[in-house]
Amino acid sequence: MDEPAQNEDIALDGDQTQPTAEIIAAMNQNGSTNTIKTEPDTDGPTSEFDALFARLSENPQDPEGWRRLIDLATGSGEIPKIQQAFDELLKHYPNTSSAQIAYISHFLNDESTFAEAEQLFIKFLRSSPNVDLWKFYLTYVRRRNTGPSASTREIVRKSYEFALNHVGQDKDSGEIWNDYIQFLKAGDASSTWEEQQKMDTLRKAYHRAVQIPLDNLEKLWSELETFETNLNKITAKKFMSDLSPAHTQARAVLRQLTTHLNPLYPPQQGNDLYLPTQPAFDNADRILTGKWKAYLKWEESNPLEIEEKDKATLVTRLQGVYRKAVIRMRFHSEIWYMAYAWTSSVGKQDEAIAILKAGFEANPSSYLLAFAYAEAMELKKEYPEVHSTFNKIIAVRAKHLEELAKTNPPEENGAKEEPASQSTNSSFGSQAAEEKPTKLSEYQEWRRDYGIAYIMYMRFARRCEGLPALRKIFLRARKDKLVPWEVYEATALMEYHGFGDKQVATRIFERGLDTFPAETDFVCRYLGFLISVNDGNNARALFERVIQTFPSEKARPLWERWARYENQHGDLEAILKLEKRIAEAYPKEPPMKRFAQRHMHLNIDAIADCDLGMIARRHSTNVGTVLGRNENETGQSIAPAGANAPKRPASPDHNRGVKREDTRNFEAGGGGGYKRQRGNASPARVDRDVHMRDRDRDHDRGRDAGRDRWTEGGNKNRRFSPPPPSGGAWERERDDRDGGRGYGGPSRDIKREESFAPRGPPPVQIPPVVSWFVGELPPAATFDGPVFKTDDLMKCFKQAIIPSSVGAGPNGAPPPRARTPPPPPGPTNYSQHRGGGRPPPDYGPYTGPGGGGGRGRRY
């Protein structure tokens, strides 16, 4: 039998295992010569089936409609309707295995229709990567060939080899491999030679299967080990040792493959007929597409590490992967392009072009596939096919624009275009309301993209067919009311740069100006063209002619474009006159901005860099740069510390006198804190808190003094951090101000009473000295000391066993915790340590509560 041509399917190249004609001829024992009738009986009134069929033929992107059509055809039991429905479905969704299996099943109920089933097998099999269809085919072959004769078994064996050479690398083909091995085991051997041949064939099949990441890989490996051991234990060890690396690699790849494929093939619910849908380009769609692309790239990386000598196996595997991908993601053009790019990279140019053609037929509105297919046909010098491709994409996109204009008219849906300032100077203030970027409506964006199709079409004509073909396409574009102004500009530049005709280019610009008189961007491009060809007189005439036709909010790009030309090539009098006109058009604009723009070149703004300190701001390492601002909340500039640094002003402390519980309550309620709210504290608790604050304050004061002495001692580990400005003057001033209490008030008792009064949350303010300190810290990259892992420390704290008490008080209660007495007033008592400052760290083991003496557990 001759296989019918498949326009939308991908042909297989170099296939040497396709005994389809021989197999089908052997199976066709009944001699049936029935032919498939595709024309249904159209007599009678229009039924639901006919109406739905007509609608789906016009708008095929309706999976639910197709399922309903198939149900109607199947329910009728009429073979012509079934053929008509399935043929039309598979025309728009080729290689859909569930539909193909359901289609063929209708011809397997009666032997008189087996010939039709065999024709469908021939039509579908060679281009199908779906394991389910191949299983269905093998089931049919074994059903038709059940005799014990050698010829019958040879037909079945060839059918298995035929299937495994096409889909044997698929993860789901493990069942086919297992059935094939069991079929080989069931063969009879009448002599020792035949028995040896049988064993060799079995070993070869096993060895091929256990190196592929199949879903039943472990089962096949176990069977192979048993098979080899039963034959010869000595050779079994050698064979298993040689196969072990490849098998281990296949096991590892199988785990990764399962991780990749599970999200790509979710369990099907309801109807078994899966049909891909149009992309919605939402978040879920982007995630799915990203997973497919990641999976395909992973497969291209050769995770099985197949050697170069077995490159054909790798190519076959990737062919199946990409064929399944384009079936599942039929309406995602980027997947089709990935398949084309890979196929072309392995030297299969004809198959790559077939992929592009099939993808473009599935996605006729795809610019990506249309342009790629046109380029491929241009390289093959098939220019009529290129013209057909561009005409198709233009027609499809024009229809889309017309439908969009009906539902969302451009006058209502279009957003006003506001001029986008082309000024590159960001150092001077200007009228921000007049420099908003251009905002296009959906219709305008689609119309702009529509023009790209014409532009690419004209580029092809210029390259391959010359000036007459270019002008013919432009003449067609001029009659198309949907083309944007970009087509006129592109054509004019092609005329000038491609054929050196300045006058024709100018006439095209003038025709475009008549067609798009309100497009500021087009006028700017026309003005730039005249300037680029050194036609200053016509450029000046164009500017004076159009500048009065635009309101000031839209004319800014024109003013700036002409001002740049005058600043670079005009005389000073003309420059000043133009600047005066700009000042009248934009009275709120700072004069210094216009002056600085006159003295710029290639975006180099010396005035802003030097006089306004832009370089210093960009390269400054002071606090303002670190914290992302140049002034603190009170408006005071934060200057770097130096020898002549002024005395730091007093830092207001809004939280002074407020209880710790109140601060936590504020953080939990309104400040976004994570600490839970606590109840009101008792007076005894307040007294204890005041005592602890006094102790902490005195301790901090002593620690700061010790730190000063440490710094004076010349500790080299702190060489990157100079001391704070004026030493500890700001601390002494605070102590003098609040009577040595450190709370910023005349009396602690008064503040304690005020702490109970309700008050709002104080404003958050970072003291300048803290900001200065953060700015002076060395970068993190300079730290070369030990780094502790936070997770390990937290785990240590969680698992630590700390005794709750060392003895029992009265009635079994734990004794009260002894409070640490506050340090004596005055300087710190750490002066006995050598060098002053803090004592050396204690790295000894923890000895439990109470220190040493043998109490507690050692850690």
Side-chain angles (χ1 to χ4, degrees):
M1 298 181 183
D2 296 333
E3 181 180 359
Q6 299 297 308
N7 293 332
E8 60 272 357
D9 294 333
I10 302 168
L12 297 175
D13 295 335
D15 188 4
Q16 303 298 327
T17 58
Q18 300 181 13
T20 308
E22 178 184 351
I23 296 170
I24 298 301
M27 292 188 298
N28 192 12
Q29 299 175 0
N30 55 357
S32 174
T33 58
N34 295 345
T35 58
I36 300 178
K37 299 179 181 180
T38 58
E39 293 296 330
D41 186 10
T42 57
D43 296 337
T46 303
S47 62
E48 180 185 0
F49 174 87
D50 295 331
L52 187 58
F53 183 88
R55 180 172 66 83
L56 291 175
S57 299
E58 293 294 330
N59 301 296
Q61 314 302 334
D62 184 6
E64 291 299 328
W66 285 110
R67 295 188 184 99
R68 176 59 181 166
L69 182 70
I70 295 300
D71 291 340
L72 291 174
T74 305
S76 67
E78 301 177 12
I79 292 297
K81 280 189 176 181
I82 293 174
Q83 292 174 333
Q84 183 184 18
F86 277 105
D87 286 340
E88 190 69 16
L89 170 65
L90 293 172
K91 175 183 176 182
H92 298 286
Y93 297 90
N95 290 325
T96 303
S97 60
S98 56
Q100 291 172 336
I101 293 173
Y103 190 9
I104 298 174
S105 298
H106 289 288
F107 300 98
L108 297 180
N109 300 324
D110 188 358
E111 276 196 31
S112 61
T113 58
F114 278 5
E116 285 83 348
E118 292 165 4
Q119 291 182 25
L120 293 177
F121 274 127
I122 295 174
K123 180 179 180 181
F124 298 148
L125 276 177
R126 293 181 59 194
S127 60
S128 175
N130 296 288
V131 176
D132 293 338
L133 180 62
W134 286 94
K135 290 180 183 178
F136 190 69
Y137 159 70
L138 291 172
T139 302
Y140 175 75
V141 170
R142 299 193 68 169
R143 174 186 174 184
R144 296 281 289 166
N145 298 269
T146 56
S149 62
S151 60
T152 301
R153 289 188 58 82
E154 183 66 12
I155 291 174
V156 177
R157 188 192 67 80
K158 287 184 177 181
S159 299
Y160 270 110
E161 287 289 342
F162 181 42
L164 291 175
N165 283 332
H166 282 83
V167 295
Q169 292 289 326
D170 195 290
K171 180 180 76 72
D172 299 327
S173 65
E175 184 179 345
I176 298 180
W177 282 102
N178 184 69
D179 292 345
Y180 181 39
I181 290 172
Q182 299 304 321
F183 170 77
L184 294 177
K185 286 182 179 180
D188 296 331
S190 57
S191 64
T192 305
W193 181 84
E194 290 181 358
E195 183 69 23
Q196 186 63 39
Q197 289 293 108
K198 174 182 174 181
M199 294 300 106
D200 291 342
T201 306
L202 264 174
R203 179 180 289 114
K204 182 179 179 182
Y206 268 125
H207 287 197
R208 290 167 60 192
V210 297
Q211 300 181 63
I212 303 172
L214 304 173
D215 49 7
N216 58 347
L217 180 62
E218 292 299 329
K219 177 177 178 294
L220 293 175
W221 177 259
S222 178
E223 291 181 0
L224 172 61
E225 190 172 13
T226 303
F227 169 76
E228 293 289 359
T229 303
N230 292 336
L231 289 180
N232 190 322
K233 293 183 179 181
I234 298 176
T235 59
K237 185 176 181 180
K238 178 182 181 301
F239 282 131
M240 302 304 290
S241 177
D242 293 343
L243 286 174
S244 182
H247 171 69
T248 303
Q249 183 72 15
R251 288 175 56 191
V253 171
L254 178 61
R255 290 192 293 269
Q256 302 176 42
L257 183 62
T258 303
T259 303
H260 278 289
L261 292 182
N262 284 343
L264 304 182
Y265 293 90
Q268 186 69 18
Q269 298 179 357
N271 199 322
D272 293 333
L273 180 59
Y274 173 81
L275 299 176
T277 58
Q278 287 284 344
F281 300 106
D282 54 6
N283 188 45
D285 203 8
R286 288 192 295 269
I287 292 175
L288 179 62
T289 305
K291 290 180 179 179
W292 268 105
K293 293 167 70 175
Y295 166 60
L296 295 173
K297 287 295 182 184
W298 176 78
E299 286 282 5
E300 287 185 12
S301 66
N302 189 15
L304 285 172
E305 299 180 2
I306 299 175
E307 298 180 358
E308 185 66 24
K309 63 180 182 179
D310 299 323
K311 185 178 179 181
T313 303
L314 176 62
V315 171
T316 301
R317 177 179 179 83
L318 282 169
Q319 278 181 324
V321 167
Y322 270 112
R323 288 172 184 174
K324 293 181 72 173
V326 297
I327 293 172
R328 192 81 179 185
M329 305 289 284
R330 178 170 177 78
F331 302 113
H332 291 73
S333 56
E334 51 191 323
I335 303 297
W336 285 96
Y337 187 82
M338 289 181 66
Y340 158 73
W342 175 82
T343 308
S344 178
S345 67
V346 296
K348 294 180 174 293
Q349 296 298 331
D350 292 340
E351 185 175 345
I353 293 176
I355 291 174
L356 273 183
K357 184 176 181 180
F360 184 50
E361 290 178 355
N363 301 273
S365 62
S366 170
Y367 289 112
L368 172 64
L369 299 178
F371 295 160
Y373 183 61
E375 283 188 358
M377 291 294 99
E378 181 180 345
L379 290 175
K380 295 188 69 174
K381 309 297 183 183
E382 297 184 9
Y383 298 148
E385 187 69 15
V386 180
H387 285 285
S388 175
T389 302
F390 278 114
N391 289 331
K392 184 176 182 180
I393 186 68
I394 289 174
V396 171
R397 280 300 172 182
K399 182 179 179 182
H400 171 257
L401 273 177
E402 292 172 354
E403 294 175 353
L404 186 62
K406 293 177 181 178
T407 56
N408 298 304
E411 295 79 11
E412 300 177 4
N413 189 37
K416 289 186 177 181
E417 294 187 17
E418 299 178 357
S421 176
Q422 300 178 4
S423 174
T424 57
N425 178 21
S426 60
S427 306
F428 304 93
S430 61
Q431 301 175 101
E434 299 176 356
E435 297 187 356
K436 295 180 180 179
T438 302
K439 182 179 180 180
L440 300 178
S441 67
E442 181 183 3
Y443 176 83
Q444 290 170 326
E445 290 184 356
W446 284 119
R447 183 182 180 186
R448 183 182 57 183
D449 294 343
Y450 176 68
I452 295 296
Y454 271 108
I455 294 173
M456 297 303 110
Y457 194 9
M458 289 188 292
R459 287 183 184 178
F460 153 74
R462 178 190 60 79
R463 289 192 302 262
C464 302
E465 297 177 348
L467 182 60
L470 167 65
R471 291 179 175 176
K472 181 179 180 181
I473 297 173
F474 176 64
L475 180 63
R476 171 186 169 186
R478 282 179 52 191
K479 300 177 180 179
D480 191 343
K481 297 181 180 180
L482 299 175
V483 296
W485 61 263
E486 286 86 354
V487 174
Y488 285 80
E489 187 225 1
T491 308
L493 295 180
M494 289 181 197
E495 287 278 359
Y496 177 72
H497 293 287
F499 306 99
D501 199 332
K502 173 185 171 182
Q503 295 182 351
V504 173
T506 303
R507 289 201 299 268
I508 293 175
F509 269 115
E510 285 292 334
R511 183 58 61 91
L513 187 62
D514 295 338
T515 308
F516 306 98
E519 292 288 349
T520 310
D521 292 337
F522 178 72
V523 178
C524 285
R525 300 292 295 182
Y526 185 15
L527 187 63
F529 168 76
L530 293 176
I531 293 173
S532 67
V533 299
N534 199 24
D535 194 351
N537 292 332
N538 285 329
R540 187 182 303 275
L542 173 65
F543 173 76
E544 296 296 342
R545 174 160 51 106
V546 301
I547 193 62
Q548 302 299 330
T549 62
F550 292 99
S552 59
E553 62 271 10
K554 295 188 64 175
R556 174 173 289 276
L558 293 173
W559 286 108
E560 293 186 350
R561 183 66 186 90
W562 186 245
R564 286 199 303 273
Y565 173 72
E566 288 285 10
N567 294 336
Q568 293 174 3
H569 309 292
D571 54 51
L572 183 58
E573 294 182 359
I575 294 173
L576 294 177
K577 290 180 180 179
L578 179 63
E579 183 175 333
K580 182 179 179 181
R581 295 174 62 186
I582 296 176
E584 293 175 354
Y586 306 99
K588 296 182 180 179
E589 192 172 68
M592 194 185 346
K593 174 186 176 181
R594 295 190 296 272
F595 182 82
Q597 286 178 336
R598 298 210 316 261
H599 298 83
M600 290 175 57
H601 180 68
L602 296 178
N603 299 336
I604 302 174
D605 190 349
I607 295 177
D609 292 342
C610 178
D611 297 87
L612 300 186
M614 293 304 297
I615 290 182
R617 294 187 187 183
R618 289 193 294 266
H619 299 278
S620 176
T621 58
N622 59 9
V623 179
T625 303
V626 174
L627 298 182
R629 59 180 183 270
N630 296 315
E631 294 182 351
N632 59 12
E633 290 83 349
T634 60
Q636 299 171 347
S637 299
I638 302 175
N644 299 324
K647 183 178 179 181
R648 175 191 175 276
S651 300
D653 191 354
H654 298 279
N655 291 332
R656 192 171 299 150
V658 180
K659 296 185 304 178
R660 181 170 49 191
E661 289 79 10
D662 294 344
T663 304
R664 290 178 177 177
N665 188 14
F666 161 67
E667 292 176 352
Y674 61 88
K675 296 183 178 180
R676 64 182 180 182
Q677 185 173 355
R678 304 178 64 179
N680 295 330
S682 62
R685 175 64 182 271
V686 174
D687 293 338
R688 191 187 70 179
D689 290 344
V690 171
H691 172 72
M692 293 178 67
R693 285 198 298 267
D694 289 342
R695 183 192 66 185
D696 295 340
R697 183 202 64 223
D698 296 335
H699 178 71
D700 292 340
R701 188 182 305 161
R703 183 182 59 188
D704 293 338
R707 181 180 58 198
D708 294 341
R709 288 195 299 274
W710 187 284
T711 304
E712 292 171 1
N715 182 13
K716 296 182 179 180
N717 292 332
R718 303 289 295 175
R719 63 184 183 273
F720 294 103
S721 302
S726 303
W730 70 277
E731 295 177 336
R732 293 193 297 271
E733 179 181 294
R734 184 197 65 183
D735 293 341
D736 295 338
R737 183 175 67 252
D738 48 28
R741 293 190 267 288
Y743 289 92
S747 172
R748 186 185 308 132
D749 295 334
I750 297 176
K751 285 297 177 181
R752 189 171 65 186
E753 293 174 0
E754 293 176 356
S755 66
F756 291 95
R759 56 191 299 176
V764 179
Q765 182 178 15
I766 300 177
V769 66
V770 176
S771 302
W772 171 87
F773 176 72
V774 173
E776 292 298 327
L777 289 176
T782 61
F783 178 74
D784 57 355
V787 179
F788 297 95
K789 295 184 178 179
T790 307
D791 296 338
D792 293 344
L793 290 176
M794 296 303 298
K795 183 178 180 181
C796 178
F797 293 152
K798 291 180 180 179
Q799 296 179 354
I801 303 176
I802 302 176
S804 59
S805 64
V806 296
N811 300 327
R817 180 180 178 182
R819 295 182 180 178
T820 304
T828 178
N829 56 355
Y830 295 152
S831 58
Q832 68 270 22
H833 296 285
R834 184 172 55 189
R838 298 180 180 178
D842 182 12
Y843 293 106
Y846 175 65
T847 57
R855 296 184 300 168
R857 179 178 300 183
R858 297 179 63 88
Y859 289 84

